């Protein structure tokens, strides 16, 4: 995660970005958290965590609500065995397409698979440890910009109880919105709703800061 965020810091500095809005989905939400924790909010205007992994995904003595390490070991095993099939299969719970009555978009599934196959095997394998075992608690405590936390209560990849509900308590004055029945991949399956809520948050936060 430090590598991800240091790359982001280099980009923002080279482009001299100011008052940027950092929106992160899933592991990307961890990147937003670690960026702020590691580099501060000097160039950040707002932050949004969508279906995000903070504060900590894996189950530990201090995080009893997390997922067992065996879950992530299973991800690693499937990835190593047949990466192409793993990326195809995981789209079903990722987008809630395994739920009764779900309207499946093969286009969304194929697009996700294509993105996955464009990446490298080794970084993908290592990424599982990064997103599941990184503790972002101290990073979240350093947030001092308007923050929106969005999560579906039917997220089968990043369960809401050990993620958004906890993050919203750690981040000072964070705004939490929970979507009944929405899946982990809700920015794709429910794009109109998510985009509308993002724009409303950006507008409101900008007006309050004026």
């Amino acid at each position: 995660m430090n590598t991800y965020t240091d790359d982001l810091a280099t980009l923002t500095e080279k482009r001299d970005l100011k008052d940027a809005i950092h929106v992160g989905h899933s592991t990307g939400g961890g990147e937003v958290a670690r960026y702020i924790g590691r580099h501060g909010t000097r160039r950040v205007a707002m932050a949004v965590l969508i279906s995000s992994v903070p504060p900590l995904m894996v189950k530990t003595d201090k995080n009893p609500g997390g997922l067992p390490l065996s879950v992530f070991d299973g991800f690693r095993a499937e990835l190593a065995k047949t990466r192409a099939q793993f990326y195809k299969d995981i789209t079903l719970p990722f987008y809630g397409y395994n739920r009764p009555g779900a309207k499946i978009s093969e286009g969304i599934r194929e697009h996700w698979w294509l993105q996955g196959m464009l990446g490298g095997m080794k970084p993908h394998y290592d990424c599982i440890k990064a997103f599941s075992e990184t503790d972002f608690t101290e990073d979240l405590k350093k947030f001092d910009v308007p923050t929106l936390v969005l999560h579906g209560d039917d997220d089968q990849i990043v369960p809401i109880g050990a993620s958004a509900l906890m993050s919203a308590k750690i981040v000072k004055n964070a705004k939490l919105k929970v979507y009944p029945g929405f899946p982990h991949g809700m920015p794709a399956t429910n794009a109109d709703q998510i985009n509308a809520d993002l724009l409303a948050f950006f507008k409101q936060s900008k007006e309050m800061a004026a």
Side-chain angles (χ1 to χ4, degrees), residues 8 20-26 28-32 44 46-50 52 148 150 187 194-195 198 201-202:
L8 177 57
I21 301 172
H22 289 247
V23 181
H25 172 258
S26 196
E31 183 174 354
V32 171
V44 181
M46 309 171 204
V48 184
L49 307 179
I50 305 177
S52 294
L148 177 64
L150 305 178
I194 302 303
N195 289 336
L198 286 174
F201 173 71
F202 299 157

Side-chain angles (χ1 to χ4, degrees), residues 29 32-34 36-37 41 46-49 52 54-55 136-150 163-176 201:
V32 171
R34 181 50 55 89
I36 290 177
T41 56
M46 309 171 204
V48 184
L49 307 179
S52 294
F136 300 99
T137 302
E138 295 304 313
D139 302 302
L140 295 172
K141 292 178 181 178
K142 295 180 181 179
F143 279 46
D144 58 3
V145 294
T147 301
L148 177 64
V149 180
L150 305 178
S163 55
L165 300 186
M166 295 179 66
S167 291
K169 293 179 180 179
I170 298 171
V171 176
K172 186 177 180 180
N173 299 321
K175 180 180 180 181
L176 171 67
F201 173 71

